[in-house]
Amino acid sequence: MPSPIAHSVSGYILGKILPLEQRKVSIHKTFYWQIYAVFVAIFADFDFIPQLITGEKYHRGLTHSLSFTLGFSAILALIVSYLWKSSYKQIFLRTFLFYISHLCLDFFSEGRGIKLFLPFIDSFFRSPVIIFPGFHYSMGLWSYSHILTLTFELVYSTLLFFVVCYWQKTMSKKTKKI
Ligand SMILES: [Zn+2]
């Protein structure tokens, strides 16, 4: 599975591509929106916390399933749309996409996969085509084995930033012409 770097950058970029659409969006709200996108994109890996406390294997379980993604997005969107007086549908769809970006990255990475269909099917699923080298936490935080993964993720993150910068420039040019 990728490290939090790839998940955070993916959430950040998605937050940029899918901004909060309101009549008036303050700089503060834009900032909080980016933090929200990153938080949602990494949330699935917070299953490390109950695993550390109890010693049971929760990682890549329920929080990495489609049913949890739907429930989490529905409840969080309800709270956020109420607090920010925004459209529920808009917040729900964006939250769902931020969250699902995490499952996609894990699905296409090295490792045993994710329990995508819990609670209906208690099995790990992984793409036969691997894009991301795995980050092996079992080797400890400072293992040399992480260098390849981190290098790959830094290249991935840089590429994403360039693509979004180019897309934003193109969009602003088009808007100016109109
Ligand atoms: Zn994960």
Side-chain angles (χ1 to χ4, degrees), residues 27 47-48 61 70 77 143 148 154 157 178:
I27 296 172
D47 59 1
F48 257 121
L70 269 173
S143 165
L148 172 70
L154 286 175
S157 304
I178 295 167

Side-chain angles (χ1 to χ4, degrees), residues 1-2 7 41-42 44-45 47 59-60 63-64 102-103 106 114:
M1 57 185 251
H7 290 306
I42 61 171
D45 280 347
D47 59 1
H59 190 45
R60 283 176 267 171
T63 58
H64 289 67
H102 187 110
L103 303 193
D106 280 1
I114 54 176

